[in-house]
Amino acid sequence: MTNKLETTALGGVPTGLYIGGSWRAAESERLLPVEDPSTGNVLVEIADASPADGMAALDAAVEAQESWGVTPPRERGEILRRAFETIMERIDELALVLTLEMGKPLGESRGEIAYAAEFVRWYGEEAVRINGRYTVSPNGSGRILTMKEPVGPCLFITPWNFPLAMGTRKIGPAIAAGCTMVVKPAKQTPLSMLLFAAILEECGLPPGVCNVVTTSNSGAVMEPLIRDGRARKLSFTGSTPVGRKLAEQAAGGLLRTSMELGGNAPFVVFADADLDAAVEGAMIAKMRNMGESCVAANRFLVETPVAAEFAGRLAERMAALVVGRGTEEGVDVGPIIDSPSREFIHGLVQDARSRGASVLTGGDVPEGPGWFYPPTVLCEIHPEARIVDEEVFGPVAPVLTFDGLDEAVAMANDTPFGLGAYVYTRDLARALSATERLEVGMVGLNRGLVSNPAAPFGGVKQSGLGREGGPEGLEEYLTTKYVAIEV
Ligand code: SIN
């Protein structure tokens, strides 16, 4: 049940589609119920867009592109700066809405809001630093001038696990670069994005630059926009199978794509590691966002001499976490996003158990309402257990053992995914060798957190294409025009 504070926060969330600078009901007047994963109760009903609404949003983005693309960079940056300040002023309200729709504890929600805001600030600062170059051609007979231009209208499909931060990681650089956009948030967690659209409006973003369509039918609404030919870029954060399908749709019109997809991050602990630091890092790499992150540690690979101690200490820390409704005081772990996701997680645990894994803590689905799952540590994992190959996306830590650097690297790379990895060792040469040999886009070296708005987030292999964050994340929204000058 929602209390007065929660009802007030929900009352401040717009419930319409944001298209061309105005809020409107869905053309069909259909409504999309948004549920609280900790109770299963409906929090609020919002507009459920149809394909016609999606097309209206693309029309608005296309219409706004020309003037937005030539809006002075300082103006674009100032809008982002004001939006950063507004988000931070309203952090409590935004965090509460985020917790209600997604389930994570309030402290984590505040962390996500600050993370989301930092993308807005960082790219606001970058807007005025977009530039090209001027070079004398090698034979001296001409000049080479390059200029950066916005790629054009973009389509963004954002996930439920970081409902605001994964949006601002796309919206921030797109605004800074001078692109317009249609944003389609996840149907489970659209509320934070609607609030953000209202903040952008309040901070002076011109009509049509950022359009938000909420829908229960992402495929039907987004596929026509991807195939339409007027959008020039698609950025998606989500699963690898969906990313592959979207990339196929985008291929027809040769849209530029950024795909931030699934992971299977190894967390490698060598015998010489500082075990206190490794356990601390493991808690962050596994339990940040309750394990519902593509960069969460998925497999703990621990060198045999320290494996039992590491697993025991990790299990002790995991068992001490308090599971409950994210709005309650003292809660560390909220619910899983929905029932199918919890079933999937539990299926992986049962499969590992059926192949001989022992459970050091957790492993059972609790009774009662909400989609809660206990922090779980498994060891003695069969190499063919599904949990070794599949992304858990939840609070479950399987501990496997290895002997020596070569085996660690072989096990770590034995996956089609290549997003993140974590390495704990005190030996610099071993750290560098492991880092160079790991087939991933990001490595946490003696550190359980890689995410940073100023750094390029992204993967290799089946984990995706492109980078988000940092200067690389801005380049994704810019195209280079080259001018050959006769002298
Ligand atoms: C993700 O889970 O998609 C990204 C998480 C992050 O930015 O840390």
Side-chain angles (χ1 to χ4, degrees), residues 257-297:
T257 55
S258 295
M259 294 279 158
E260 207 261 88
L261 308 178
N264 183 359
F267 188 101
V268 183
V269 182
F270 287 96
D272 72 335
D274 173 344
L275 268 206
D276 289 339
V279 172
E280 200 55 50
M283 290 301 293
I284 297 167
K286 181 71 257 181
M287 293 309 295
R288 170 174 174 258
N289 217 44
M290 306 173 303
E292 291 175 312
S293 163
C294 56
V295 79

Side-chain angles (χ1 to χ4, degrees), residues 127-192:
V128 293
R129 286 183 251 294
I130 296 170
N131 52 37
R133 66 191 164 92
Y134 179 81
T135 331
V136 177
S137 62
N139 67 6
S141 72
R143 299 292 180 268
I144 296 165
L145 175 71
T146 66
M147 50 179 84
K148 297 284 184 184
E149 296 178 348
V151 292
C154 301
L155 304 175
F156 296 153
I157 302 177
T158 61
W160 53 260
N161 64 335
F162 287 93
L164 191 60
M166 296 304 97
T168 58
R169 183 146 94 177
K170 302 177 195 304
I171 296 168
I175 289 180
C179 297
T180 62
M181 65 212 80
V182 177
V183 185
K184 201 289 296 170
K187 65 176 182 221
Q188 297 95 329
T189 58
L191 306 183
S192 318

Side-chain angles (χ1 to χ4, degrees), residues 222-342:
M222 295 309 285
E223 184 173 351
L225 309 194
I226 297 169
R227 295 196 188 276
D228 176 88
R230 289 178 295 162
R232 294 311 318 141
K233 162 132 191 134
L234 167 66
S235 179
F236 169 68
T237 300
S239 75
T240 296
V242 175
R244 197 175 289 121
K245 201 163 134 195
L246 293 171
E248 279 166 18
Q249 294 170 9
L254 288 179
L255 264 69
R256 281 170 63 155
T257 55
S258 295
M259 294 279 158
E260 207 261 88
L261 308 178
N264 183 359
F267 188 101
V268 183
V269 182
F270 287 96
D272 72 335
D274 173 344
L275 268 206
D276 289 339
V279 172
E280 200 55 50
M283 290 301 293
I284 297 167
K286 181 71 257 181
M287 293 309 295
R288 170 174 174 258
N289 217 44
M290 306 173 303
E292 291 175 312
S293 163
C294 56
V295 79
N298 209 54
R299 298 166 290 155
F300 288 84
L301 310 181
V302 188
E303 206 159 17
T304 303
V306 295
E309 186 180 350
F310 176 87
R313 286 168 67 173
L314 182 62
E316 211 173 293
R317 290 285 300 274
M318 293 279 271
L321 295 175
V322 177
V323 180
R325 191 160 188 249
T327 46
E328 278 163 23
E329 193 77 27
V331 164
D332 301 304
V333 185
I336 302 300
I337 188 71
D338 54 23
S339 169
S341 303
R342 181 171 73 168

Side-chain angles (χ1 to χ4, degrees), residues 106 189 213 254 376 392 413:
L106 275 176
T189 58
V213 286
L254 288 179
T376 298
V392 183
N413 287 342

